[in-house]
Amino acid sequence: MTVLTILLVLVLLLVVFGLLFRLQILTSIFSGTFTRDIGMSNSVNAVLMLVFLIGGGAWFAYSFVENFGKMNPPIASVHGHQMERMFWITMAVIGVAFAITQILLFVYAYKYQHKEGRRAYFFAHNNTIEVIWTIIPAIVMASLIFAGWKAWTRITGPAPKNSVVLEVMGKQFNWLVRYPGRDMKLGVVNYRMIDAVNEFGFDLSDKSALDDFTTNEIHVPKGVPVLIKIRSRDVLHAVYMPQFRVQMYAVPGMPTRFWFTPTTTTDEMRAKLGNPKFNYELACNQLCGGSHFAMKATIIVDEPDDYQNWYAAQQSFSQKNPDVLAAFKQKAKTMVAPVAAATDEKKAPVMPLAASN
């Protein structure tokens, strides 16, 4: 313990002496009695600034051109072209501003390197310059935000009446997909009814849920609006479909939605890309846990007739799982008997067992 105390005292003394020495140098600088030969290092650093600007800019340009195709998958939706146009307008505005500021930064570092006898000019204030660099960016940013808001409210607002409706629910670590049946209405789901078989939580006491069906693949028809209702069962996920330019969060406890119109079937895109194994993909682009990489689903864009044939061939969840349906019916019987007896005694009308929503 004594040795440690001595070492700490010595370290503190060294720190104090160092600060005193630094204070003496600063005092000499302010008084003008301290001179120091800068040497060549300052000029070398100034030249390296220009080298970094040119070399870094060239590398960025090469990387951008080389990977442009990976950043820009082909567009396969109607609204995708508008999204793409807005994205590149925004990137152009930001890119020009970034290029100008970085060029000025590195050029100024070279041009105004330290030289003997040169003194800095103190520029305190200029109202005109401040108004210019405040109003112009404000107008540009407000224009970009307004254009984005218009597009966003359209694709997240009410979908066309002829839309195909489906629901996607994210869970660790896969996507659950369901479609309405012949009544074209998605039935009631209840998280309390979720189990290993009934993963969606179908409430089969609701008639609209009896013909709903689930699939492993997402099928949508070409040229028809598609409304995707989105939910999450556990943590934050994201519905990301790059070719359709679709991106929407799946938030626990907060349903979201997005609609789009596919323009290119899977077969047409395979022919266009020359890749017979290509498939559209729904991926989660939010880190949602250890097996986040597994959260993806295949999307098939069919011709309308092919979609109708696929749709007609699907079996509802209740048909595939008669045991679950039987359990719901048995539960309904046990609930109806005492309710009926009580209403007979009071001579009151029988109330429905389940609400419609």
Side-chain angles (χ1 to χ4, degrees):
M1 188 66 181
T2 304
V3 176
L4 180 60
T5 304
I6 293 173
L7 288 174
L8 289 174
V9 170
L10 291 175
V11 170
L12 289 174
L13 286 173
L14 289 173
V15 171
V16 170
F17 284 131
L19 291 175
L20 289 173
F21 180 71
R22 179 65 177 167
L23 182 61
Q24 182 185 8
I25 292 176
L26 292 174
T27 303
S28 302
I29 291 173
F30 284 116
S31 64
T33 60
F34 178 84
T35 59
R36 181 178 178 183
D37 184 21
I38 294 179
M40 290 294 294
S41 61
N42 194 65
S43 298
V44 171
N45 286 332
V47 172
L48 288 176
M49 287 285 187
L50 292 182
V51 171
F52 183 82
L53 173 65
I54 297 170
W59 178 255
F60 170 80
Y62 167 78
S63 177
F64 182 82
V65 172
E66 186 70 16
N67 295 283
F68 184 79
K70 297 177 182 177
M71 296 188 297
N72 257 331
I75 300 172
S77 67
V78 172
H79 81 276
H81 296 280
Q82 183 182 6
M83 294 291 102
E84 194 78 352
R85 185 168 56 254
M86 287 177 51
F87 174 81
W88 286 114
I89 290 174
T90 304
M91 288 298 294
V93 171
I94 296 174
V96 169
F98 176 82
I100 291 173
T101 54
Q102 296 307 302
I103 290 172
L104 290 176
L105 174 66
F106 287 98
V107 170
Y108 274 39
Y110 173 80
K111 183 176 180 180
Y112 297 106
Q113 60 183 286
H114 174 77
K115 290 183 180 179
E116 293 296 336
R118 174 186 284 178
R119 294 184 63 84
Y121 173 69
F122 181 67
F123 190 80
H125 184 69
N126 188 300
N127 286 333
T128 303
I129 292 177
E130 291 188 9
V131 168
I132 290 173
W133 71 37
T134 300
I135 291 180
I136 292 178
I139 293 174
V140 172
M141 294 303 296
S143 301
L144 293 175
I145 291 171
F146 180 71
W149 172 79
K150 284 181 62 179
W152 181 253
T153 53
R154 186 176 64 82
I155 56 185
T156 58
K161 292 183 179 180
N162 64 329
S163 298
V164 169
V165 180
L166 62 106
E167 185 175 49
V168 173
M169 183 163 68
K171 75 177 185 68
Q172 294 174 315
F173 292 98
N174 68 303
W175 295 101
L176 304 176
V177 184
R178 71 161 173 156
Y179 288 77
R182 304 298 182 269
D183 62 358
M184 303 306 295
K185 294 181 181 179
L186 288 170
V188 172
V189 292
N190 189 332
Y191 73 92
R192 294 184 180 89
M193 298 178 180
I194 292 175
D195 56 31
V197 177
N198 190 1
E199 290 192 287
F200 240 107
F202 285 103
D203 184 350
L204 297 181
S205 62
D206 175 34
K207 293 182 179 180
S208 296
L210 291 174
D211 59 355
D212 290 358
F213 63 90
T214 61
T215 65
N216 294 323
E217 292 181 337
I218 299 174
H219 282 253
V220 294
K222 172 186 173 182
V224 178
V226 178
L227 171 61
I228 302 180
K229 296 185 175 182
I230 302 167
R231 292 192 295 130
S232 172
R233 213 175 80 173
D234 36 47
V235 300
L236 181 69
H237 301 287
V239 171
Y240 177 52
M241 305 175 183
Q243 287 81 13
F244 304 119
R245 300 305 191 264
V246 171
Q247 156 72 29
M248 176 61 76
Y249 289 130
V251 186
M254 188 178 79
T256 53
R257 54 190 284 146
F258 197 110
W259 72 268
F260 68 101
T261 304
T263 58
T264 310
T265 68
T266 298
D267 290 337
E268 288 172 344
M269 186 60 73
R270 287 172 178 173
K272 180 178 179 179
L273 298 177
N275 179 9
K277 295 183 180 180
F278 170 83
N279 278 313
Y280 295 114
E281 184 178 85
L282 161 60
C284 174
N285 62 4
Q286 296 295 310
L287 293 176
C288 56
S291 297
H292 158 73
F293 64 90
M295 282 207 65
K296 56 185 179 180
T298 299
I299 306 169
I300 306 295
V301 180
D302 297 311
E303 293 289 352
D305 291 342
D306 294 332
Y307 173 79
Q308 291 293 341
N309 294 334
W310 171 84
Y311 186 89
Q314 302 306 305
Q315 283 188 310
S316 67
F317 174 83
S318 59
Q319 289 176 315
K320 291 181 179 179
N321 299 275
D323 294 342
V324 177
L325 179 60
F328 267 90
K329 289 182 177 179
Q330 182 62 36
K331 184 178 180 181
K333 287 180 181 179
T334 58
M335 292 176 65
V336 167
V339 171
T343 52
D344 283 342
E345 292 177 5
K346 298 180 181 180
K347 296 184 180 180
V350 178
M351 299 298 292
L353 297 177
S356 58
N357 52 37

